[in-house]
Every structure is written in C-alpha cells, then in structure tokens.
Amino acid sequence: MSECGGATMSLMPIIAPFHKGLATITKVAGQSSEGGATTKTYSDQAIGPVLANKKVIIGASAQFVSSMTIDGNAMTKVVNAVGTGAVSTTTAIFQYNDAGALGTTADIVLTCSQSSGFHDIGIYYAVDASADVIDTATATTTNDSGSGAIWSADIDVEDNSVAVAQMQDQLGGETKPLVWAGLDAGTVSTNGNTGGTGATAFKAIASAATVSVTCTMQRGQSPVGFGSMCVAAWGSG
C-alpha cells in the first residue's frame, strides 16, 4: 500500500480472469471398406488444419472393434457399444488430444479383435474442447418391424460443449434414410450386403442440457436393427 496526496492506493496487480475458449467441432470425412480383416488402414486421411488446442475425434464401427492409432500414436477409446445380434456389431469413439502437431493428414489404423467383414469411420476435429469426455452413453436395438430401427440415448452437457455419435446397423446393405434428433447428421457409409449402414452425427451445444440423441433408420428391402450406437460429449477446455 502507498499514499499519494492523502489517498491510499494499492500496488497489488490487477489480474484479468481466465476465460476458457469455446469448443468447436468440424466434420472432415467418412470412409468405409469391406473384406474380412482384423486391421484396416486409412492412409493420408484429412484431419483438419494445423491449429493449437486441436483434438481429432473418430467414430468407428466394425465387428469386434478393439483399438485405433493415428500416425502410429495410440488413440483413446472413450466409449463403445456392442450390438445384440450374432455379428457383434461394435461402435466406438476415439480421441487424440495432441493433434495440433500431426499436420493436416494422417494414417489411421483401425484394429479389431477378430476378422471383420466391414469397417466404417467418421473423422472430426475439435478445437478448445476439454481433454476428457464429460459424458458418454450407449444404445442397442433389436427392433426390426414397422418403420425400422431406433437407437436412443441421453447425454448431459455443459455450456459450450461438443458431441459426436456413431451408429451401425447389422444387416441390410442398401442405403436407408436416417433421421437424427439431438445432433446434426454427419457422415454416412454403406458396406454392400455385409455391413449395413454406418453413420455419425455431431453438434456444438451452447447451453447446459440433457440432450436426447436419437437415430431412426427406415426399413428397407432387408432387415435392419441389431446394431449399436454410442455418444460422447466434451466441454470447453
């Protein structure tokens, strides 16, 4: 403390409050492949521009999804769901937090614990998102009548959050209309007659809420259902 002209002044520094950046999320691409293999490599995949505080988020589906790497670096599996059918259709969401150092493309390798007849991925990048997920949810269905199959799960998000969902049906190779609620439609891929349809959804969410994420698949020429869906959310970092 000091006195100046009889007035007392504080010499303590004024420190501005810290404000977290607002998380954003951007869709990059989706890829699919067929064929019995335990490992699928997606070479030179776009992962977004070089940015600080960038993470790559990838939704994946296959039979028996196990792990994923990006340019040789292990990605973290934040959530997975296993379908109830005989094919063990698995959906999972992976993240890699240090993506700002990877450049604009990367080799992505999806590994399954057993040979899979199909592989699907949807690639996103998020900026200023929290290092860890704030909530996850999963859903399965055996619905195979009427209008088709419905996957539904709730997640709790904070102000300025981002979320990604991955779904996969087990049967029916033809593309069927998908309707998402709660998140915005992202990537869609179809694997002939062996793997059905895989799809992702995503959204930046401004206000804290419980978000009901629903994916409805209309019935096509072949049965649908017996698949799975998983959802993950991140706050602002």
Side-chain angles (χ1 to χ4, degrees):
M1 304 287 289
S2 65
E3 294 186 1
C4 181
T8 301
M9 299 185 301
S10 173
L11 299 181
M12 295 292 290
I14 299 174
I15 301 175
F18 172 74
H19 294 285
K20 296 189 292 185
L22 302 183
T24 62
I25 188 163
T26 303
K27 176 180 68 174
V28 182
Q31 299 286 345
S32 65
S33 66
E34 295 183 56
T38 57
T39 301
K40 172 61 184 176
T41 300
Y42 300 90
S43 300
D44 297 322
Q45 294 297 300
I47 58 171
V50 176
L51 297 168
N53 301 322
K54 184 181 88 171
K55 74 162 67 201
V56 170
I57 301 168
I58 301 179
S61 55
Q63 294 163 277
F64 314 105
V65 170
S66 178
S67 62
M68 182 175 286
T69 62
I70 183 167
D71 270 358
N73 302 288
M75 299 188 72
T76 300
K77 185 194 295 182
V78 298
V79 63
N80 74 283
V82 180
T84 55
V87 181
S88 296
T89 298
T90 307
T91 53
I93 297 173
F94 295 85
Q95 70 170 26
Y96 185 71
N97 283 334
D98 299 322
L102 293 180
T104 59
T105 63
D107 294 339
I108 297 165
V109 179
L110 171 62
T111 300
C112 302
S113 59
Q114 300 182 38
S115 179
S116 177
F118 62 92
H119 310 81
D120 295 289
I121 62 170
I123 305 170
Y124 296 84
Y125 69 89
V127 179
D128 289 330
S130 58
D132 300 315
V133 292
I134 56 174
D135 199 15
T136 62
T138 62
T140 60
T141 183
T142 56
N143 184 5
D144 187 23
S145 62
S147 62
I150 300 173
W151 294 264
S152 184
D154 293 343
I155 54 169
D156 293 323
V157 300
E158 305 168 351
D159 290 348
N160 304 309
S161 297
V162 296
V164 170
Q166 172 79 27
M167 67 74 60
Q168 177 78 41
D169 79 322
Q170 177 179 305
L171 299 173
E174 75 276 9
T175 301
K176 307 178 189 70
L178 295 174
V179 178
W180 287 95
L183 302 182
D184 299 328
T187 63
V188 179
S189 54
T190 300
N191 286 289
N193 293 318
T194 58
T197 299
T200 64
F202 71 111
K203 192 171 187 178
I205 303 165
S207 301
T210 297
V211 179
S212 294
V213 180
T214 301
C215 181
T216 302
M217 173 178 283
Q218 296 184 17
R219 186 179 176 85
Q221 297 175 359
S222 301
V224 296
F226 301 101
S228 63
M229 179 182 76
C230 56
V231 190
W234 294 261
S236 289

PDB file of all heavy atoms in Angstrom, residues 47 49-51 54-56 70 96-103:
ATOM      1  N   ILE A  47      -7.332 -34.478 -41.569  1.00  0.00           N
ATOM      2  CA  ILE A  47      -7.712 -34.349 -40.158  1.00  0.00           C
ATOM      3  C   ILE A  47      -7.878 -32.887 -39.755  1.00  0.00           C
ATOM      4  O   ILE A  47      -7.903 -32.560 -38.570  1.00  0.00           O
ATOM      5  CB  ILE A  47      -6.697 -35.041 -39.224  1.00  0.00           C
ATOM      6  CG1 ILE A  47      -5.285 -34.469 -39.425  1.00  0.00           C
ATOM      7  CG2 ILE A  47      -6.711 -36.554 -39.451  1.00  0.00           C
ATOM      8  CD1 ILE A  47      -4.277 -34.957 -38.394  1.00  0.00           C
ATOM      9  N   PRO A  49      -7.011 -28.473 -40.354  1.00  0.00           N
ATOM     10  CA  PRO A  49      -5.832 -27.602 -40.401  1.00  0.00           C
ATOM     11  C   PRO A  49      -4.978 -27.717 -39.141  1.00  0.00           C
ATOM     12  O   PRO A  49      -5.409 -28.277 -38.126  1.00  0.00           O
ATOM     13  CB  PRO A  49      -6.444 -26.201 -40.523  1.00  0.00           C
ATOM     14  CG  PRO A  49      -7.790 -26.324 -39.886  1.00  0.00           C
ATOM     15  CD  PRO A  49      -8.269 -27.701 -40.213  1.00  0.00           C
ATOM     16  N   VAL A  50      -3.765 -27.197 -39.232  1.00  0.00           N
ATOM     17  CA  VAL A  50      -2.878 -27.159 -38.066  1.00  0.00           C
ATOM     18  C   VAL A  50      -3.350 -26.052 -37.140  1.00  0.00           C
ATOM     19  O   VAL A  50      -3.326 -24.874 -37.502  1.00  0.00           O
ATOM     20  CB  VAL A  50      -1.418 -26.914 -38.500  1.00  0.00           C
ATOM     21  CG1 VAL A  50      -0.517 -26.764 -37.272  1.00  0.00           C
ATOM     22  CG2 VAL A  50      -0.932 -28.056 -39.378  1.00  0.00           C
ATOM     23  N   LEU A  51      -3.807 -26.425 -35.971  1.00  0.00           N
ATOM     24  CA  LEU A  51      -4.347 -25.479 -35.001  1.00  0.00           C
ATOM     25  C   LEU A  51      -3.898 -25.865 -33.601  1.00  0.00           C
ATOM     26  O   LEU A  51      -3.744 -27.053 -33.292  1.00  0.00           O
ATOM     27  CB  LEU A  51      -5.885 -25.471 -35.042  1.00  0.00           C
ATOM     28  CG  LEU A  51      -6.551 -25.027 -36.343  1.00  0.00           C
ATOM     29  CD1 LEU A  51      -8.033 -25.363 -36.298  1.00  0.00           C
ATOM     30  CD2 LEU A  51      -6.344 -23.537 -36.570  1.00  0.00           C
ATOM     31  N   LYS A  54      -6.050 -28.515 -30.735  1.00  0.00           N
ATOM     32  CA  LYS A  54      -6.898 -29.344 -31.598  1.00  0.00           C
ATOM     33  C   LYS A  54      -6.837 -30.796 -31.178  1.00  0.00           C
ATOM     34  O   LYS A  54      -5.764 -31.320 -30.874  1.00  0.00           O
ATOM     35  CB  LYS A  54      -6.461 -29.224 -33.061  1.00  0.00           C
ATOM     36  CG  LYS A  54      -7.363 -29.981 -34.030  1.00  0.00           C
ATOM     37  CD  LYS A  54      -6.885 -29.851 -35.478  1.00  0.00           C
ATOM     38  CE  LYS A  54      -5.879 -30.902 -35.839  1.00  0.00           C
ATOM     39  NZ  LYS A  54      -5.571 -30.922 -37.283  1.00  0.00           N
ATOM     40  N   LYS A  55      -7.983 -31.438 -31.152  1.00  0.00           N
ATOM     41  CA  LYS A  55      -8.033 -32.889 -30.960  1.00  0.00           C
ATOM     42  C   LYS A  55      -8.771 -33.499 -32.132  1.00  0.00           C
ATOM     43  O   LYS A  55      -9.661 -32.876 -32.731  1.00  0.00           O
ATOM     44  CB  LYS A  55      -8.714 -33.275 -29.649  1.00  0.00           C
ATOM     45  CG  LYS A  55     -10.233 -33.108 -29.624  1.00  0.00           C
ATOM     46  CD  LYS A  55     -10.848 -33.909 -28.491  1.00  0.00           C
ATOM     47  CE  LYS A  55     -10.440 -33.365 -27.143  1.00  0.00           C
ATOM     48  NZ  LYS A  55     -10.585 -34.325 -26.067  1.00  0.00           N
ATOM     49  N   VAL A  56      -8.393 -34.727 -32.489  1.00  0.00           N
ATOM     50  CA  VAL A  56      -9.095 -35.490 -33.506  1.00  0.00           C
ATOM     51  C   VAL A  56     -10.022 -36.475 -32.812  1.00  0.00           C
ATOM     52  O   VAL A  56      -9.631 -37.151 -31.848  1.00  0.00           O
ATOM     53  CB  VAL A  56      -8.113 -36.230 -34.430  1.00  0.00           C
ATOM     54  CG1 VAL A  56      -8.852 -37.211 -35.340  1.00  0.00           C
ATOM     55  CG2 VAL A  56      -7.340 -35.235 -35.275  1.00  0.00           C
ATOM     56  N   ILE A  70      -3.313 -43.172 -34.778  1.00  0.00           N
ATOM     57  CA  ILE A  70      -3.236 -42.076 -35.744  1.00  0.00           C
ATOM     58  C   ILE A  70      -1.767 -41.706 -35.901  1.00  0.00           C
ATOM     59  O   ILE A  70      -1.107 -41.317 -34.929  1.00  0.00           O
ATOM     60  CB  ILE A  70      -4.115 -40.875 -35.296  1.00  0.00           C
ATOM     61  CG1 ILE A  70      -4.084 -39.764 -36.336  1.00  0.00           C
ATOM     62  CG2 ILE A  70      -3.732 -40.366 -33.922  1.00  0.00           C
ATOM     63  CD1 ILE A  70      -5.170 -38.706 -36.117  1.00  0.00           C
ATOM     64  N   TYR A  96      -7.782 -38.193 -29.910  1.00  0.00           N
ATOM     65  CA  TYR A  96      -6.342 -37.953 -29.768  1.00  0.00           C
ATOM     66  C   TYR A  96      -6.155 -36.472 -29.496  1.00  0.00           C
ATOM     67  O   TYR A  96      -6.488 -35.624 -30.334  1.00  0.00           O
ATOM     68  CB  TYR A  96      -5.582 -38.369 -31.028  1.00  0.00           C
ATOM     69  CG  TYR A  96      -4.082 -38.248 -30.865  1.00  0.00           C
ATOM     70  CD1 TYR A  96      -3.386 -39.124 -30.043  1.00  0.00           C
ATOM     71  CD2 TYR A  96      -3.364 -37.239 -31.511  1.00  0.00           C
ATOM     72  CE1 TYR A  96      -2.013 -39.014 -29.873  1.00  0.00           C
ATOM     73  CE2 TYR A  96      -1.994 -37.122 -31.354  1.00  0.00           C
ATOM     74  CZ  TYR A  96      -1.327 -38.016 -30.534  1.00  0.00           C
ATOM     75  OH  TYR A  96       0.039 -37.903 -30.356  1.00  0.00           O
ATOM     76  N   ASN A  97      -5.602 -36.158 -28.313  1.00  0.00           N
ATOM     77  CA  ASN A  97      -5.582 -34.773 -27.851  1.00  0.00           C
ATOM     78  C   ASN A  97      -4.482 -33.917 -28.462  1.00  0.00           C
ATOM     79  O   ASN A  97      -4.622 -32.694 -28.524  1.00  0.00           O
ATOM     80  CB  ASN A  97      -5.447 -34.736 -26.326  1.00  0.00           C
ATOM     81  CG  ASN A  97      -6.753 -35.049 -25.619  1.00  0.00           C
ATOM     82  OD1 ASN A  97      -7.825 -34.837 -26.179  1.00  0.00           O
ATOM     83  ND2 ASN A  97      -6.675 -35.561 -24.402  1.00  0.00           N
ATOM     84  N   ASP A  98      -3.384 -34.509 -28.879  1.00  0.00           N
ATOM     85  CA  ASP A  98      -2.240 -33.716 -29.345  1.00  0.00           C
ATOM     86  C   ASP A  98      -2.205 -33.622 -30.861  1.00  0.00           C
ATOM     87  O   ASP A  98      -1.143 -33.681 -31.485  1.00  0.00           O
ATOM     88  CB  ASP A  98      -0.938 -34.349 -28.824  1.00  0.00           C
ATOM     89  CG  ASP A  98      -0.881 -34.370 -27.311  1.00  0.00           C
ATOM     90  OD1 ASP A  98      -1.343 -33.380 -26.699  1.00  0.00           O
ATOM     91  OD2 ASP A  98      -0.398 -35.359 -26.739  1.00  0.00           O
ATOM     92  N   ALA A  99      -3.357 -33.443 -31.474  1.00  0.00           N
ATOM     93  CA  ALA A  99      -3.445 -33.490 -32.931  1.00  0.00           C
ATOM     94  C   ALA A  99      -2.861 -32.266 -33.613  1.00  0.00           C
ATOM     95  O   ALA A  99      -2.585 -32.298 -34.819  1.00  0.00           O
ATOM     96  CB  ALA A  99      -4.898 -33.684 -33.361  1.00  0.00           C
ATOM     97  N   GLY A 100      -2.648 -31.171 -32.886  1.00  0.00           N
ATOM     98  CA  GLY A 100      -2.099 -29.974 -33.496  1.00  0.00           C
ATOM     99  C   GLY A 100      -0.708 -30.183 -34.065  1.00  0.00           C
ATOM    100  O   GLY A 100      -0.280 -29.450 -34.960  1.00  0.00           O
ATOM    101  N   ALA A 101       0.007 -31.197 -33.555  1.00  0.00           N
ATOM    102  CA  ALA A 101       1.373 -31.460 -34.017  1.00  0.00           C
ATOM    103  C   ALA A 101       1.432 -32.455 -35.169  1.00  0.00           C
ATOM    104  O   ALA A 101       2.525 -32.766 -35.661  1.00  0.00           O
ATOM    105  CB  ALA A 101       2.204 -31.989 -32.848  1.00  0.00           C
ATOM    106  N   LEU A 102       0.294 -32.956 -35.619  1.00  0.00           N
ATOM    107  CA  LEU A 102       0.287 -34.026 -36.616  1.00  0.00           C
ATOM    108  C   LEU A 102       0.267 -33.526 -38.054  1.00  0.00           C
ATOM    109  O   LEU A 102       0.490 -34.309 -38.975  1.00  0.00           O
ATOM    110  CB  LEU A 102      -0.925 -34.938 -36.400  1.00  0.00           C
ATOM    111  CG  LEU A 102      -0.947 -35.770 -35.115  1.00  0.00           C
ATOM    112  CD1 LEU A 102      -2.212 -36.608 -35.068  1.00  0.00           C
ATOM    113  CD2 LEU A 102       0.297 -36.645 -35.007  1.00  0.00           C
ATOM    114  N   GLY A 103      -0.030 -32.272 -38.289  1.00  0.00           N
ATOM    115  CA  GLY A 103      -0.180 -31.787 -39.651  1.00  0.00           C
ATOM    116  C   GLY A 103      -1.628 -31.868 -40.093  1.00  0.00           C
ATOM    117  O   GLY A 103      -2.550 -31.950 -39.271  1.00  0.00           O
TER     118      GLY A 103
END
